[in-house]
Amino acid sequence: MTDPGATTTNVAGDSAYVGMQAGTVHGNVHIYTVSADASPEEKFRTGVRVLNGGMPRRAWQLIHEAFEARYVTNEVCFYWLLALVSGRTRHELSEEEAARLRHSKRMLHLVGDDAWSDGVKAVHRLLESVEKPGEDIRVLLKEFNELGDTQRTLIVRHLDSFLDGPIEDQMWHHALTRAKLEQMARDRADRVWKFFEPIPAKPRVRPPQPVDVPFAVWAQAVAATVVFVIATLHIGYLLAQAGRVVELLAYLLSVIGGYFGARNGAEWRFRTVRRHAKDMEYGTLQRRSSAPAGGFASKVDERFGYYFAKYVPHGVGRDIWLARTAGIRNSLRNEIVDAYRERRIGAEEIHWLIRHRVQDVRDQWRKGTLWNYREELATPLATKAVTILGVTVLLVGGTWAAGGAVQTAPLSAARSMALVLAGGWIACRAWLYITLEHRRHTADKCEADQRSKKSWAAFDRWKEKLADKPDDREISAWLDCDRKVLLDEALQHYKLTMSNVIAHAFIEAPAPSTKNARVLNGPWRYKKYQLLVFLLTVDGVRQLAVALDFERGTFHDRQRMNYRFEAVAAVRVKQTDSDERTFELALVDGQKIAVQVTGPEMEKLQQDEKPGTVSEVTLDAAGLSHTLHILEGIAAEGKEWISHERRRGEERAGKLASAMQDSES
């Protein structure tokens, strides 16, 4: 006997098990949602989608409700019959369900001949053939092959566990052939990953900080400017009145020089301040805001670290890349946190944006443009020259003009000169502050607009890439194919046919730390699974456990285990208050196989979802009830379970065959 404890997957020894991560809920997908006032037809259509999604118990409830409300067509009859028996053996039917099946021919009123009525008749004939081992199945198979492709596909998928006898191997051959054809169909390898991607949040950029000029600065600027202008004009008046032409010319030149010096000086100052701010922002010492562990900001920070480590430019050492871009990384992280913190979205919804921003940094690095701002903000030599020349002309001309004015009217000119110096100094400082603040806002807005434009382009590209995201029914169909292919592998390894197997069952659980997603009212789907298949034979139990890479449809890390029926000591499912469920199979020698089937994210409910819904449909889709029926029977009755189950099956089958014959007569 193989020790099941020698594994690092969800199958673990000593009652150990591995948890899972919370994942994505596609809140805009309503294929499994039905309103309280839905019409019978709406309930039926939803039930069909649910059945195709691999949840027969929930599908039966909806289809039967439509049936009870007198919405009865040949199509409804077909799906009603399939949902009743899907995924189960005859022995798992309750007395009430068995009674419905016994009387189904009388209850299902077919109208006319179409593909659906042919399907209903074919299902009935298949069920009857189980109790007629001597019947020539060639006629039955010929009729089955003449059915429409839709009806054949559905029958093969949903009746594989219910059939028995000679017809079982034939139907298994049909099921396996289709499973191998459909397993990787419809570009599965290129599309599965998209199901686990959340609906992307629209791009946002942190709005530029508004212009912030205190009232006191405006008051200083206006008052000082008024004083400066009046005092300056007064000096010019004194020179003109005295007829001092040379000093007046110097006065005019000083005014012109001051204008050009101030304008170009403001440009010089803006470029210097802006460049310094960028250096501080992109510098390695730039700090990020604090983020509590597990919060939105912490998740954004983690994702930036992941993508910066992943998208390293070719030919650059990772340590060098991370060190040189540490400041940029923190700057981008802070910007996105500020833009989205109050938007009530999950960090996973903006992974696309984080990835885009990191790729943009990498592309700029490759092109050598990442630090282009230093060249763009470098002050041109002409600007510096005009500034210096203007200030020089202002000082020389102003001094010359002031001297002439003092000679004309000493007291009045001295008073005006004092006002010119004081008012000019205060006005220059105030207007420089105002100018730099407006220029800063304009530059920030321009950068934000550029980032927004690039982000929206990336958003459109990402949405286009996700346009062919598979729906949940495709995921269910692929997973069903994987189960059949795995079952065939187990049969081949143990050199068995389906008719040699008394019963088979699956345990389907998520692999550790795998991505997961679901639609509203739908089961959780996982990117990686841990699958266990149990084959019950007359010699005991054959068990095969594998890790399934669902995206690629490949099996890994196979573990096989054989044991007698008497070796099964107990089978149980532990359920916590948070609806976490762990399947445990204990053997008499103390070994345990433990699998966490559902985790704490199971009831991560959305609006209009009822408590218990998600766990119920997830367990239904995983077929846990069928597995428990078989393994619990073995644990309770041992090898005698086989004969007891056959006896119970024969009793119910006899009633079923008798009821069907009575219906025909």
Side-chain angles (χ1 to χ4, degrees):
M1 189 180 297
T2 305
D3 182 4
T7 175
T8 58
T9 61
N10 285 48
V11 182
D14 301 326
S15 299
Y17 58 86
V18 186
M20 348 170 205
Q21 295 178 332
T24 298
V25 180
H26 299 301
N28 67 330
V29 181
H30 299 272
I31 60 173
Y32 300 143
T33 302
V34 58
S35 61
D37 58 348
S39 67
E41 182 177 5
E42 290 173 332
K43 289 184 178 181
F44 167 69
R45 294 300 171 192
T46 303
V48 170
R49 292 192 293 268
V50 171
L51 182 63
N52 291 334
M55 299 162 278
R57 305 288 72 78
R58 174 61 178 156
W60 158 254
Q61 295 172 5
L62 293 170
I63 295 173
H64 187 63
E65 286 179 15
F67 185 85
E68 289 287 290
R70 301 185 182 280
Y71 181 69
V72 182
T73 66
N74 293 346
E75 184 183 6
V76 172
C77 294
F78 179 79
Y79 279 105
W80 184 94
L81 199 54
L82 283 189
L84 179 61
V85 300
S86 177
R88 295 191 287 182
T89 65
R90 301 191 311 278
H91 321 306
E92 293 177 60
L93 295 178
S94 66
E95 289 294 336
E96 182 181 2
E97 291 168 336
R100 286 197 177 102
L101 187 57
R102 286 196 298 269
H103 301 294
S104 59
K105 278 194 173 183
R106 187 172 65 251
M107 295 171 60
L108 303 177
H109 302 291
L110 303 178
V111 179
D113 292 324
D114 59 12
W116 297 113
S117 66
D118 292 341
V120 173
K121 296 171 186 176
V123 172
H124 277 130
R125 283 194 289 270
L126 286 169
L127 297 178
E128 292 169 8
S129 71
V130 174
E131 306 309 322
K132 300 177 181 178
E135 184 180 15
D136 187 354
I137 64 173
R138 289 176 296 181
V139 176
L140 183 60
L141 291 174
K142 181 177 181 298
E143 294 177 354
F144 173 78
N145 290 328
E146 291 174 352
L147 291 175
D149 185 65
T150 300
Q151 287 73 28
R152 285 202 314 273
T153 301
L154 290 168
I155 290 173
V156 166
R157 178 176 179 183
H158 295 288
L159 260 66
D160 61 339
S161 296
F162 206 85
L163 297 178
D164 203 354
I167 193 64
E168 183 178 15
D169 286 329
Q170 296 296 328
M171 296 304 293
W172 168 244
H173 174 72
H174 282 278
L176 180 60
T177 300
R178 180 168 290 275
K180 289 181 177 179
L181 289 174
E182 297 290 331
Q183 187 183 23
M184 299 306 297
R186 301 181 299 281
D187 296 325
R188 170 179 175 174
D190 294 327
R191 295 176 58 217
V192 162
W193 65 270
K194 300 177 184 181
F195 181 82
F196 299 94
E197 292 294 328
I199 300 171
K202 293 181 179 179
R204 293 182 180 273
V205 296
R206 180 172 54 189
Q209 184 179 350
V211 175
D212 183 19
V213 180
F215 175 78
V217 175
W218 277 108
Q220 290 177 10
V222 173
T225 300
V226 170
V227 171
F228 173 77
V229 170
I230 293 175
T232 301
L233 291 175
H234 184 254
I235 292 175
Y237 170 76
L238 293 177
L239 294 175
Q241 187 181 43
R244 305 182 74 92
V245 178
V246 176
E247 287 82 353
L248 186 59
L249 181 60
Y251 166 81
L252 294 175
L253 289 175
S254 68
V255 171
I256 296 173
Y259 169 76
F260 283 102
R263 191 177 73 172
N264 286 271
E267 177 69 17
W268 187 351
R269 179 61 177 169
F270 167 75
R271 287 174 175 270
T272 301
V273 171
R274 184 76 177 177
R275 183 167 154 173
H276 178 71
K278 283 289 183 182
D279 287 340
M280 292 295 294
E281 180 182 2
Y282 287 0
T284 57
L285 297 180
Q286 198 266 344
R287 295 183 178 181
R288 64 171 182 261
S289 55
S290 59
F296 174 79
S298 176
K299 293 177 180 178
V300 171
D301 189 39
E302 180 274 331
R303 190 50 44 170
F304 265 110
Y306 170 79
Y307 283 126
F308 264 99
K310 179 179 180 180
Y311 295 112
V312 180
H314 179 70
V316 180
R318 176 170 297 178
D319 292 341
I320 296 176
W321 158 255
L322 294 178
R324 293 287 304 278
T325 59
I328 297 176
R329 180 168 68 250
N330 291 335
S331 174
L332 296 178
R333 176 263 188 200
N334 291 343
E335 177 193 338
I336 287 183
V337 168
D338 291 344
Y340 284 96
R341 188 192 295 274
E342 304 301 328
R343 305 299 177 182
R344 292 189 177 183
I345 66 167
E348 64 277 0
E349 297 176 52
I350 57 171
H351 284 178
W352 71 269
L353 179 59
I354 298 173
R355 182 172 58 250
H356 158 67
R357 298 299 295 275
V358 174
Q359 289 174 335
D360 186 50
V361 172
R362 180 197 60 186
D363 292 342
Q364 291 183 60
W365 178 292
R366 287 174 175 174
K367 298 174 184 177
T369 61
L370 188 55
W371 283 276
N372 270 11
Y373 72 88
R374 293 190 59 81
E375 296 179 4
E376 294 169 357
L377 293 175
T379 307
L381 185 60
T383 301
K384 295 180 178 180
V386 172
T387 301
I388 295 173
L389 180 61
V391 172
T392 301
V393 171
L394 171 65
L395 294 176
V396 174
T399 302
W400 196 345
V406 169
Q407 293 177 9
T408 302
L411 293 178
S412 179
R415 184 171 58 250
S416 293
M417 284 302 302
L419 293 175
V420 165
L421 293 175
W425 174 253
I426 296 173
C428 283
R429 290 191 60 184
W431 283 115
L432 181 61
Y433 181 93
I434 294 171
T435 300
L436 293 180
E437 185 64 9
H438 278 84
R439 288 290 304 276
R440 188 272 311 162
H441 179 266
T442 300
D444 286 349
K445 187 175 184 304
C446 182
E447 289 184 358
D449 290 343
Q450 291 176 351
R451 285 196 301 271
S452 179
K453 184 178 179 180
K454 294 172 70 174
S455 296
W456 273 103
F459 176 74
D460 291 338
R461 291 193 300 271
W462 184 240
K463 286 197 68 176
E464 183 178 357
K465 193 167 187 177
L466 296 179
D468 63 343
K469 175 188 297 186
D471 61 28
D472 188 74
R473 290 166 292 181
E474 288 184 278
I475 297 294
S476 174
W478 283 323
L479 186 57
D480 183 67
C481 291
D482 291 335
R483 293 192 195 101
K484 287 181 170 60
V485 171
L486 177 62
L487 179 56
D488 178 63
E489 180 179 320
L491 292 173
Q492 294 294 329
H493 176 77
Y494 292 112
K495 296 180 174 55
L496 298 169
T497 64
M498 281 298 290
S499 56
N500 297 143
V501 177
I502 300 169
H504 68 276
F506 284 92
I507 288 290
E508 179 184 295
S513 303
T514 185
K515 294 185 71 172
N516 46 58
R518 67 176 179 86
V519 300
L520 282 175
N521 293 303
W524 284 103
R525 308 294 188 183
Y526 303 94
K527 205 169 184 181
K528 294 183 184 295
Y529 282 90
Q530 183 68 28
L531 297 181
L532 282 77
V533 58
F534 301 90
L535 304 179
L536 275 66
T537 70
V538 292
D539 297 321
V541 181
R542 306 290 184 262
Q543 177 185 312
L544 172 62
V546 300
L548 168 63
D549 184 336
F550 185 63
E551 183 176 353
R552 296 174 176 81
T554 55
F555 303 116
H556 307 276
D557 303 327
R558 291 165 175 80
Q559 302 172 60
R560 297 179 181 88
M561 190 173 179
N562 307 323
Y563 43 89
R564 301 183 308 277
F565 292 112
E566 293 77 9
V568 180
V571 175
R572 54 180 171 263
V573 174
K574 293 183 178 179
Q575 181 175 356
T576 66
D577 292 339
S578 60
D579 216 21
E580 299 177 46
R581 304 194 192 195
T582 303
F583 168 85
E584 286 189 357
L585 173 64
L587 303 181
V588 293
D589 62 358
Q591 295 185 82
K592 290 183 181 179
I593 301 169
V595 182
Q596 186 173 358
V597 183
T598 63
E601 88 283 13
M602 190 54 57
E603 289 303 317
K604 182 183 178 183
L605 299 178
Q606 302 295 299
Q607 188 175 6
D608 299 329
E609 287 186 321
K610 298 179 181 179
T613 299
V614 178
S615 59
E616 178 184 342
V617 296
T618 299
L619 296 174
D620 190 9
L624 184 62
S625 59
H626 170 67
T627 303
L628 289 177
H629 170 80
I630 293 175
L631 296 181
E632 286 177 340
I634 293 174
E637 300 176 352
K639 192 172 184 178
E640 295 300 317
W641 176 84
I642 300 176
S643 57
H644 293 166
E645 192 74 350
R646 284 175 176 170
R647 176 180 52 78
R648 290 188 288 261
E650 289 171 357
E651 291 176 356
R652 292 188 179 180
K655 295 180 181 179
L656 173 60
S658 176
M660 288 184 170
Q661 290 173 1
D662 293 342
S663 298
E664 290 177 352
S665 60

